[in-house]
Every structure is written in structure tokens, then in C-alpha cells.
Amino acid sequence: MQLPDVPEEQAIATVHRAMALGINHYETARGYGSSEEILGRALRTFDRSSFILTTKITPKHYQNYRGCIEESLTRLQVDYLDNFDIHGINNEEQVEWVFKKGGALEAVQQAMSEGLIRHVGFSSHGQLEIILKVIETGEFESVNLHYYYFNQRNLPAVRRAGELDMGVLIISPTDKGGRLHRPPQYLRDLTAPYHPITINHRFLLSHPEVTTVTVGAAQPDEFAPHLKALEADGPLTEEEQEIIARLDRQYEKLGNTFCTLCHQCLPCPEGINIPEVLRLRNLAIAFDMVEFGRYRYKMFENTDHWFGGRKAVYCTKCNDCLPRCPEKLDIPALLMEAHKMLYREEGKRKWSD
Ligand code: SF4
Ligand code: SF4
């Protein structure tokens, strides 16, 4: 869990409610502010064998990775971690920090040999190609990635991890998966009688490869739409399939401006993440998910490799990408439209068309 800015008592009450509901896997990270400490305080009254704990540390700390692991154990008030993820293997530089001699993986393997860590996985916010490359190393037992109804780009990684019998944990399906805790009314109507959170969870859990979805509740009373997803199991029911088909049909609203997210337009010499900008445009038009689009769009250039790429405003209309687009989209024009729709920050560069 990444704790948002909530009072500690509320965070602890939320964890205690989760335990009472039978939720037994807690996931945090060194980089999530005071999350490890608060989670440690929340869980210390429970028997250690009654919960599974995952924490994550970015490989940039590889020179003192062992020290960081020990700090996490101290903060979490435990003697061992059930699972440990090398956090955010997002680009080639981080791949190097993980696998080099004296790198992060070596420190994890040493900690495993001493019983401090029981299982090792990795998380990634990077491109599909990086995720597949790391999966294929065979060094990890699980992968922690972005995959949602509203972003299915990483399906090949989910499938490949399943073939290799790896665990697949879905990062933030509610918030990063579409800000589904605050859905637009239009989306709510489309998924009725279920909450969009429930449908997204059911979509994910209908994949046999998906082993864990995270909940991300910030309050003790936020669990209902998550738990609702557990009332069914396995493949989507007929009713759920109809809802997914209804969602799929919304993309028709984009007509011949629909971006299929094939990524063939990349690379852009200006570093614009064309498919991600156009995905946000797709969602804003198809599902009225404008607020989600704004929330993600402002992250470009502000979150380094965690959400790579620059804003659409930097398009020079060089047209390099145009011949590579199988849909023959007018990419500069669509980027301009997306920027106007999604850009809301003050004092930054605006389009000057
Ligand atoms: S036209 Fe714009 S988006 Fe396409 S490659 Fe050139 S700068 Fe990048
Ligand atoms: S090549 Fe065209 S359809 Fe494919 S991601 Fe780029 S803009 Fe979208």
C-alpha cells in the first residue's frame, strides 16, 4: 500500500479493517514516505504468520542495497519479508544496476540465503520490452506491473509470466488503472449495476495468470466495491461480458482517430510518449475520463522514468512518426487536441499553433 496523505490512525484503522476482512497481503516500498513505518505499527499486533509482506527498493540504491533492506525490516518491525521486489526496473540503466556485479540482485540473493527474504520479484513502470527482458532472465518469481481494462498494453508480459509460473501482481488497478475511485458518471452508468472498480477487478481476476490485485483503500469504509469482485470467480460471467462489450463499443466514438496503442510511431525525436498521450485522449473521449487524463498528463516530465516521456506541446510537426502509423493518424493534430484537453497547469509552455 502506498499511503496517501491520511492521518496515521486512519491508515492503521484501514489496515485493521483489511485484516478483519481477510486481506492478508500488504505491499509497500521504501520510497512511499512513511508507509513502511506506519504499516509496521499497524501490523505488529498480529501474528507474523497471518499476513504476507512485500516491500520494494529501487535499484538506484544498489551500492548500499543491503543496508536499505535492513532499514526496511526495521521500519516494518519484522525479521523477514515474505516477498521483496526490486522496485521500478524501468529502463536499461536500472537493468544494469540490478544485474551488475555488486548490484541489487546480488544483495537480495545474499539476504535470501540468510532468511531475511523468502521470495524475490520485481516491479516495473517501464516499456513492455523492458518488462519482458527482465522476465526472461529467469531470476524473479513474480512481476508487479501496470495492466488494467483501460490499459492492456502489458498483456504479453502477463501471459509470459504465467507461462513461467511467476506471480503477477497488478500495480494500483484503481488509481493508476483509471482513478476509478472517482469515476465520471458516464463510466458509472456504463458499468452499472457494478462499480467500475468491481468490473476492473473482475476483468483482471478473470485472467488465470493474475495472482494479486492491490486494493489501495485509504479509509476503512472503502472496501465494498473491491470485495464485490470476489463474489464471482474465474471467467467473466455473461453479464460481465456484456458490460465489457459495452465498454469496448465506446471506442467507436473515436471514429478514424482511434489510436490502437501499437507503439509503432515511436521513437519521437522530441521524446513525446505518443501512445500514452493518445491513450489518455482515447479514454477522455470514449469514457469521459478527462480528470484521469489530466491527472496522468501532468505527470509527464515530472516523474522521471516512472512515467516517461514529454508533453505533447513539444511536437515540432517534423512528421517523422507519420509513415510509421498503420492507422494513418494525423498524430501532431491529435497530440495538439489532447494537450488542449488535458493540460491544466499554470505558467508552463502552451501550444503556439
Ligand atoms: S511529428 Fe511530433 S510527435 Fe511525430 S515524431 Fe515529430 S515531434 Fe514527434
Ligand atoms: S502508430 Fe499510430 S496507432 Fe500506433 S500507437 Fe502510434 S499513433 Fe497510435
Side-chain angles (χ1 to χ4, degrees), residues 173-184 187 289 291-292 295:
T174 298
D175 185 48
K176 309 284 189 308
R179 250 191 156 193
L180 302 179
H181 50 303
R182 290 186 200 155
L187 180 59
M289 291 168 67
E291 286 310 316
F292 172 67
Y295 159 60

Side-chain angles (χ1 to χ4, degrees), residues 150 177-178 180 184 187 280 283-284 287-294:
F150 294 109
L180 302 179
L187 180 59
L280 299 178
L283 298 181
F287 304 102
D288 199 21
M289 291 168 67
V290 179
E291 286 310 316
F292 172 67
R294 289 177 182 159

Side-chain angles (χ1 to χ4, degrees), residues 268-270 272 274 314-321 331-332 335:
C268 160
E270 301 303 323
I272 298 165
I274 303 169
Y314 293 100
C315 175
T316 58
K317 302 180 181 142
C318 72
N319 294 344
D320 273 15
C321 55
I331 294 172
L335 290 177

Side-chain angles (χ1 to χ4, degrees), residues 258-266 274-275 278 321 324-329 331 334:
F258 175 60
C259 170
T260 62
L261 313 179
C262 69
H263 282 228
Q264 291 182 42
C265 47
L266 296 178
I274 303 169
L278 296 187
C321 55
R324 296 195 291 268
C325 177
E327 306 303 318
K328 312 242 173 297
L329 299 182
I331 294 172
L334 297 183

